[in-house]
Amino acid sequence: MSYELTIEPLGQTIEIEDGQTILDAALRAGIYLPHACCHGLCATCKVQVVDGEVEHGPVSSFALMDFERDEQKCLACCATAQSDLVIEADIEDDPDAENLPVRDFDGVVTRIETLTPTIKGVWIKLDEPAGIRFQAGQYVNLELPDGIGSRAFSIASAPSQAGDIELNIRIVPGGQGTGYVHERMKVGERTRVSGPYGRFFVKKSARVPVIFMAGGSGLSSPRSMILDLLGEGFELPITLVYGQRTREELYYHEEFLALAEAHPNFRYVPALSHEPEASDWRGFRGFVHEAAKSAFDNDFRGHKAYLCGPPLMIDACISTLMQGRLFERDIYTEKFLSAADAQQVRSPLFKAI
């Protein structure tokens, strides 16, 4: 059984299957609804039901309060249709968004590489010859076996390599999904990914210099974006400030050095926060935000910044950028969150970041 779902103010009507969430139906039709946690916890995907009936699903009573249910609001990530629906959503028109429909792709694991002591590189060759069309910076959900379910991982390869995507996966202590990838996944294993997801991509139409600030496996999206920009001949300045604790954790270091050598508009600033003093490291010693402040002499005006990494790093980078006179409209972070992350709510003053 299926129903009709009309999304206002677009006035677009799509099909929604019985048991399918409003968010999933919209994304698979190429319609972006704002969302973040996808667990019914953060309320980013709250929409108004104008007509019809929904089943709310497993939503937090803090994310959707009783009076909001009475006002016919629901969370699109959990709500399913019980009849034909008309909803009203807060949809922004972004000239840089391609609004690509989410699809499922079967594939095979062709390569697994240890990038650092805690990060694995996983390459998946998709069965479909054309591969997955995505914007650099977006992510996929990787299906894992044995009842583990799906996990979200950013695509680290460029869109030009759409048939053979790379994921960089950091092991999370006690994490069932990342534990499987690190300890049990094998080359030759069949798998499935769905995507593309996310609203994290370079605002190319702005035509301004860009800064990428990354830590840990947060390098995935910036790497894809940088490879994409350089591959298409982007001529404005591009800076990557990338931090890890020690040299052995600093992966793709040689690749970025080579890119900086080959492209005069690309600057690479690696930073190590806990590298032993006796080592031969000659780069910056300290954290990402400190390295960026030094590299730009505390003046970030005229740029757009893209931040990926642990929450504490993100917060420190936002503070540093704003102290250096770059403000909310020019700062972007990845939006996919785990269920735990979703409960760490940022001040409502920060609507975009």
Side-chain angles (χ1 to χ4, degrees):
M1 178 185 294
S2 64
Y3 302 101
E4 288 190 341
L5 169 62
T6 301
I7 301 173
E8 299 292 357
L10 299 178
Q12 189 167 340
T13 299
I14 62 175
E15 190 174 272
I16 180 170
E17 298 293 332
D18 187 31
Q20 183 181 27
T21 67
I22 291 172
L23 179 62
D24 187 63
L27 294 178
R28 289 180 181 274
I31 300 171
Y32 180 81
L33 297 183
H35 62 282
C37 77
C38 296
H39 296 287
L41 295 170
C42 73
T44 304
C45 65
K46 191 176 295 178
V47 298
Q48 178 72 50
V49 179
V50 178
D51 189 41
E53 299 294 329
V54 300
E55 168 59 44
H56 288 284
V59 302
S60 163
S61 58
F62 293 99
L64 186 70
M65 298 185 180
D66 289 341
F67 77 87
E68 292 178 306
R69 294 178 187 235
D70 294 339
E71 293 174 349
Q72 301 302 304
K73 290 182 172 62
C74 71
L75 300 189
C77 74
C78 294
T80 56
Q82 303 296 294
S83 67
D84 290 345
L85 288 177
V86 178
I87 65 167
E88 188 172 61
D90 183 14
I91 300 175
E92 293 184 4
D93 182 29
D94 189 329
D96 293 292
E98 294 183 18
N99 295 319
L100 302 170
V102 169
R103 296 176 54 203
D104 299 317
F105 299 86
D106 292 313
V108 61
V109 177
T110 58
R111 180 180 164 199
I112 301 174
E113 181 179 331
T114 299
L115 300 176
T116 79
T118 60
I119 299 172
K120 295 279 191 184
V122 176
W123 282 259
I124 301 171
K125 184 174 180 58
L126 304 179
D127 292 350
E128 186 169 322
I132 177 174
R133 187 180 170 197
F134 68 96
Q135 289 186 260
Q138 291 190 295
Y139 68 95
V140 294
N141 282 334
L142 173 66
E143 292 290 335
L144 298 172
D146 303 332
I148 296 174
S150 65
R151 298 292 187 272
F153 299 110
S154 296
I155 304 173
S157 45
S160 59
Q161 304 296 317
D164 194 0
I165 62 172
E166 176 187 349
L167 309 177
N168 298 162
I169 300 174
R170 180 179 66 86
I171 191 166
V172 176
Q176 191 177 20
T178 60
Y180 175 86
V181 171
H182 276 250
E183 298 162 10
R184 297 163 55 195
M185 180 173 276
K186 306 294 183 185
V187 170
E189 181 175 322
R190 298 289 301 173
T191 189
R192 170 175 286 191
V193 299
S194 62
Y197 292 100
R199 206 69 164 176
F200 189 63
F201 42 78
V202 175
K203 309 296 182 180
K204 297 178 183 178
S205 65
R207 299 298 303 166
V208 297
V210 295
I211 306 168
F212 296 101
M213 302 169 75
S217 59
L219 182 64
S220 299
S221 290
R223 179 174 182 261
S224 179
M225 296 156 113
I226 290 166
L227 292 175
D228 183 50
L229 289 172
L230 295 177
E232 68 177 22
F234 189 83
E235 296 179 346
L236 294 171
I238 303 168
T239 302
L240 168 63
V241 185
Y242 175 49
Q244 282 279 25
R245 290 172 55 85
T246 63
R247 176 64 185 86
E248 68 172 348
E249 298 173 315
L250 195 68
Y251 72 106
Y252 285 130
H253 178 63
E254 300 300 330
E255 176 184 81
F256 288 119
L257 289 175
L259 287 173
E261 183 72 23
H263 298 274
N265 64 319
F266 175 60
R267 177 169 57 155
Y268 172 48
V269 184
L272 301 180
S273 60
H274 292 74
E275 177 70 2
E277 289 295 333
S279 79
D280 61 357
W281 175 250
R282 295 293 177 264
F284 189 88
R285 290 177 180 267
F287 295 100
V288 171
H289 66 284
E290 296 169 333
K293 183 176 181 178
S294 174
F296 285 87
D297 196 25
N298 199 32
D299 187 351
F300 302 101
R301 288 174 295 178
H303 292 78
K304 284 192 179 293
Y306 302 87
L307 282 49
C308 308
L312 288 176
M313 187 214 88
I314 296 291
D315 288 343
C317 287
I318 290 172
S319 295
T320 296
L321 289 168
M322 296 185 80
Q323 289 167 10
R325 302 180 69 180
L326 192 72
F327 301 109
E328 180 186 356
R329 67 178 181 274
D330 294 315
I331 302 173
Y332 304 89
T333 68
E334 283 187 303
K335 291 297 184 184
F336 72 85
L337 305 170
S338 70
D341 293 334
Q343 299 179 64
Q344 300 177 12
V345 180
R346 184 178 298 280
S347 165
L349 291 175
F350 294 93
K351 297 185 184 299
I353 57 178

